[in-house]
Amino acid sequence: MPGKTDLSRLNCSLARALGAVGDWWTLLIVRDAMFGVKRFSDFQHSLGIARNILSSRLARLIEADILARQGTEARPLYVLTAKGRALLPALVALMQWGDAWQSDGKPPVVVTDTAGRAIKPLGVRSPSGASLDSAGVRFAPGPGADKRTRAFFKARDVADSD
Amino acid sequence: MPGKTDLSRLNCSLARALGAVGDWWTLLIVRDAMFGVKRFSDFQHSLGIARNILSSRLARLIEADILARQGTEARPLYVLTAKGRALLPALVALMQWGDAWQSDGKPPVVVTDTAGRAIKPLGVRSPSGASLDSAGVRFAPGPGADKRTRAFFKARDVADSD
DNA sequence: GTCGCAAAGTTTCATTTTGAAACTTATCGA
DNA sequence: TCGATAAGTTTCAAAATGAAACTTTGCGAC
C-alpha cells in the first residue's frame, strides 16, 4: 500500500515539480551539481549520503531530464541539463529562506554574480516590479485548471470572509 | 539505522531549509495554507493525503514555527506564521519551474498581484538588477562557512578546469 | 435534551523506503 | 602487474508511508 503517492492527480505545477524534486536528497544533489560536483564519489562524499540512495536518486534525476550522464560509461560525469539549471531560482530562494529563518545569521554559502557581488534576495514581483509579500499575492485558476481546481478556488473566495 | 539523516552536519542553509520543508507533503501543505486552507479536513480533502501523515506533518510544521494553531482546541485553524509566509518565493519559484518544465503549457494555477496581474517569473538578480542564469552565478564560502565548506569550494576552484 | 453527522485526529497493519555497511567489478596509475 | 579507487549493487533491519478502521468530541437540527 505505501509507496510514493501519485501526485499527478493534483492539478498543480507545484505538485508536478515536487514529483521530480520533492525529496531532500534530490535537491541537495542538484545543489551540489550547481556547485560543480560531477562524480558519483564526490556527491557521495560531500553529502554523506548512502550509496544506494545516491544511485537511485541520480537515476531518477536522469530519468526526469534534470541531470545527464557524460564522460565514459565507467567514469560518468553527472551534469545539469537546461531543465536542471532552471531550478536555480527555487534553490536559491530556499537557501535564502534557510539563511533568514533557520540559521545563526551567518550564511555558510553566498551566492554572487561573476564579479563577486552578492545577489539580491529573490522575491515575488508584480508586473511593475513592485515586491510582493504573501498578502499582496492572489492565486487563481489558470488555463490548465480542471473542474476540481476551479471549485477549490471558488470555495476559497467564499471562505475568504472567514 | 534508517530514518531521516541528520542534515545539520551539512554546513548549508539549503540543508537547514530542507530539514524543515524537504518533503513533498510539507511543501504541499504550505501551498494549501498559502491558498487559505486552514482546517485539517480541508487539507486532507484537497491533498488526498493519509490522515496520519497529515497529522504528523502539521505537528512538524508547528514545531518548526512555520504554521501556528489558532481557533479552538477542538476545531483548530492552521495558519502560516511570518516564517511560513516567507516561503512564498521558494514555493512560487518551484511552481514556475513546474509550469515551464513539467507541464503541458497550461498552468493550472496563476499567481497574480491584488489587481489580478500575473506576477513576473522569479529570477536570480545581480545587485544592479540584471537577471542571472546559472552560468552567471557563483557560489562561495560565506561568513558562516566551516573548514569543510571552505575546503569544498577551494577544491571546486581547482576542479573548474575540468 | 437527544441524535446524527462531521471534524479531528489516533491506531493498526502491511508495504515501501531508507541508511549503514559489506560486497563486486572495472579502471587507472605507479 | 598490482593496488587503490571509482562506481556502483546487495543485504539487512529500522523507519516511514499510506489505506482504512476506529475513537472522541463538537455542532446543529429537531
Side-chain angles (χ1 to χ4, degrees), chain B residues 117-128:
Chain B
R117 295 168 306 176
I119 59 157
K120 301 167 78 158
L122 265 76
V124 180
R125 291 175 191 278
S126 69
S128 52

Side-chain angles (χ1 to χ4, degrees), chain A residues 108-109, chain B residues 10-12 140-142 144-154:
Chain A
V109 176
Chain B
L10 297 180
N11 178 229
C12 167
D146 64 13
K147 278 191 190 177
R148 193 157 174 273
T149 299
R150 279 194 284 274
F152 173 84
F153 283 109
K154 198 170 191 89

Side-chain angles (χ1 to χ4, degrees), chain A residues 13 83 99 102 108 112 138 140 142, chain B residues 13 83 99 102 108 112 138 142:
Chain A
S13 302
K83 182 176 174 182
D99 283 336
Q102 300 271 92
T112 70
R138 296 291 179 267
Chain B
S13 302
K83 183 178 176 181
D99 284 336
Q102 300 269 90
T112 70
R138 296 291 179 265

Side-chain angles (χ1 to χ4, degrees), chain A residues 142-161:
Chain A
D146 64 13
K147 280 192 188 173
R148 193 157 174 274
T149 301
R150 280 196 285 274
F152 173 83
F153 282 107
K154 196 168 193 101
R156 295 276 119 253
D157 284 342
V158 175
D160 268 357
S161 41

